[in-house]
Amino acid sequence: MKLPALLSGLFFFLAACSGEVPIRADVIYTGGTIYTGTEADATVEAVAVGDGVIVYTGPMQGALDSTKSGARIVTLPENAVMFPGFTDSHVHLSGIGQRELTLNLDQVTSIEELKAKLLAYREAHPELDRIRGRGWIETHWPEGRFPTAADLDEVAADIPVVLTRADGHASVANTAALEASGVTAETEPPSGGDILKTDDGEPSGMLIDNAMGLVGGLFTDPDAEDVREFVSTGFDVYAARGWTGLHNMSVGATELDALQALALDDEIKLRTYNAVTPDQLDAAINRSPRGHLLTTRAVKIYMDGALGSRGALLVDPYSDAPGTTGLALREKDETMTFFERALDGNVQLAIHAIGDLGNKRALNWIGEAISTHETSEEDGSAEDEVGDDYRWRIEHAQIVKTEDQSKFAENGIIASMQPSHAIGDLFFAPARLGPDRLGTAYAWKDLMAEGAVIAGGSDAPVEVGDPIIEFYAATVRKGLNGYSDEDWHRDQALSRFEALKLFTQNAAYAAFMEDELGTIEVGKRGDFSVFDQDLMQVGDDEILATKPLMTIVEGKAVWQAEPIAERETEVSE
């Protein structure tokens, strides 16, 4: 049994026997509005936390009765609204930090602006002999196309330059980078990748999915200190946005080492749940690294690429590129072998699948693997008996055929989805998919109706990584500029409470932490997100104006916008 669950059970047992609180509170939060998340409109006057655990919720007097002498009382501003801690169920933590510390292109609005940003960066860093950047996405650009090597050559032709698309599934390289890497018109793309060509058959500079590795050798992998800086910066950025926790995707060995070092120094700021790269399967089996606020028990794998770069694997060809159906990044035999190892090791799998064929394969292969494993358990041939609570996840689940939607609930598969992908993609998805497939794209409501648990995330640094944007996307399903049309299928928008659950209760469940997180209840951990507007009540057009006020983990503020009034109790021990 997990320690927090044990503490929770101990609390209720002792409280029932003696009527006393076994853990005395060291901090009380009151003022503003406090939503417990147990029901859509459930609020309390005060929450008391002791040793990181919620020991009381209810009227203020009861909170005072639960405290020890010298406990702090934090009085939230009148406009403050506290929720159970928001968790981003899909983020790349080191990528967040790296985006902040390198050439950040996430606000670029055209090829001309991309070139201007690159030129300014080149001039600001004359010592560099090569440049790497990330964050551009062309779907709103007036040019209506991908950038090319020729574009980059206009402002930086003398050194290799590689700029990665926001989704991480495509890069544009300049001519110097292509030549230094030996990429020519005769270069064959690797399996699961593509090299886009110009009309005369030369590489355009655009490299899709596995083809990005062709220029990867130009850059030295970040060392442990670099990655530690990336991760620390990522924690700071996320705390300042109001997130109390995150599910950290595609974590490699160097990042695991960096996280372990931070854990040993007690510098893990937010509750972190790791899904490691496939080569780190043993780390997930052994649950290492681990520590206060740090858990490792999942593995991330890829079935296909991304929709924007036409790498998502579709049953039928792309409407705007009839010659392709996307990229298959895994073959069945090797995948089923990997599934068996994960099941034997009681490891959760987080499987990237975006296209309808990518999702169909993932759902069917998972179903086969679980059925085979449970049969082997019955006849005694399985290595380990792990029960049936696998909670495997499909990350993104963006386009799922109607006949496949029920398969999530049938095998207990979690749909880990990112609402902001919809409001970004739906500017270009109609062209990629055509009208007939749009009805099964980003279909949160339909998946819920089929019984699927949906965990909400952002996929930052692909997206901004802002809980307010994600909440807005889930409930309003319009562009950040207010745009939508019939292609956006706004009937898939969620209620405010359904959206809250995506980032609280469902996120906790997706990490096997529902006994510890997700609601503000006695016995759970004291993780809270505090904002300056009531997300359950404000108008749709007001949601995006919401700002974080305070981020609280284990009852302690890890970030706050400005000092908030505190005083000490004078309760005797």
Side-chain angles (χ1 to χ4, degrees), residues 24-85:
R24 307 299 290 178
D26 46 50
V27 61
I28 296 171
Y29 290 95
T30 189
T33 303
I34 300 175
Y35 282 100
T36 66
T38 56
E39 297 177 5
D41 58 353
T43 61
V44 292
E45 183 183 4
V47 177
V49 179
D51 294 338
V53 178
I54 299 170
V55 299
Y56 174 85
T57 68
M60 184 61 178
Q61 186 56 54
L64 291 170
D65 292 343
S66 76
T67 63
K68 57 188 175 184
S69 180
R72 295 179 299 119
I73 299 176
V74 179
T75 302
L76 301 172
E78 185 177 352
N79 66 320
V81 185
M82 176 186 282
F83 295 95

Side-chain angles (χ1 to χ4, degrees), residues 138-140 165 307-308 310 314 317-320 354 398-399 421-442 477 485 487-489:
E138 83 295 340
T139 52
H140 297 91
R165 195 174 188 267
L307 186 66
R310 298 188 185 89
L314 301 178
Y318 280 82
S319 297
D320 59 355
I354 288 181
Q398 288 182 10
I399 309 148
H421 280 345
I423 67 170
D425 290 8
L426 282 168
F427 285 97
F428 67 83
R432 296 284 192 275
L433 300 174
D436 293 341
R437 285 181 285 198
L438 284 173
T440 61
Y442 319 95
R477 202 173 168 106
D485 61 23
D487 289 334
W488 287 52
H489 291 273

Side-chain angles (χ1 to χ4, degrees), residues 34 55 59 128-129 159 171 190 205 244-245 257 267 269 277 314 334 340 364 378 427 461 470 480 509 527:
I34 300 175
V55 299
L128 296 179
D129 62 359
I159 62 172
S171 292
T244 63
D257 289 344
E267 293 181 10
K269 185 170 286 188
T277 52
L314 301 178
E334 64 169 344
E340 290 169 11
N364 289 342
E378 292 171 3
F427 285 97
E470 298 302 331
L480 298 181
Y509 178 84
D527 294 4

Side-chain angles (χ1 to χ4, degrees), residues 35 79 81 83 468 471-472 475-476 496 531-547:
Y35 282 100
N79 66 320
V81 185
F83 295 95
I468 301 305
F471 191 89
Y472 169 86
T475 57
V476 180
R496 302 293 178 92
F531 301 102
D532 69 351
Q533 290 198 115
D534 189 341
L535 293 173
M536 309 299 281
Q537 300 291 335
V538 298
D540 287 353
D541 59 351
E542 298 176 87
I543 292 175
L544 289 173
T546 305
K547 304 297 181 187

Side-chain angles (χ1 to χ4, degrees), residues 108-111 135-147 165-167 170 206 307-310 428 432:
V108 166
T109 60
S110 67
I111 289 175
W136 62 269
I137 186 164
E138 83 295 340
T139 52
H140 297 91
W141 291 356
E143 295 89 352
R145 63 173 175 84
F146 287 130
R165 195 174 188 267
D167 61 10
M206 281 296 300
L307 186 66
S309 52
R310 298 188 185 89
F428 67 83
R432 296 284 192 275

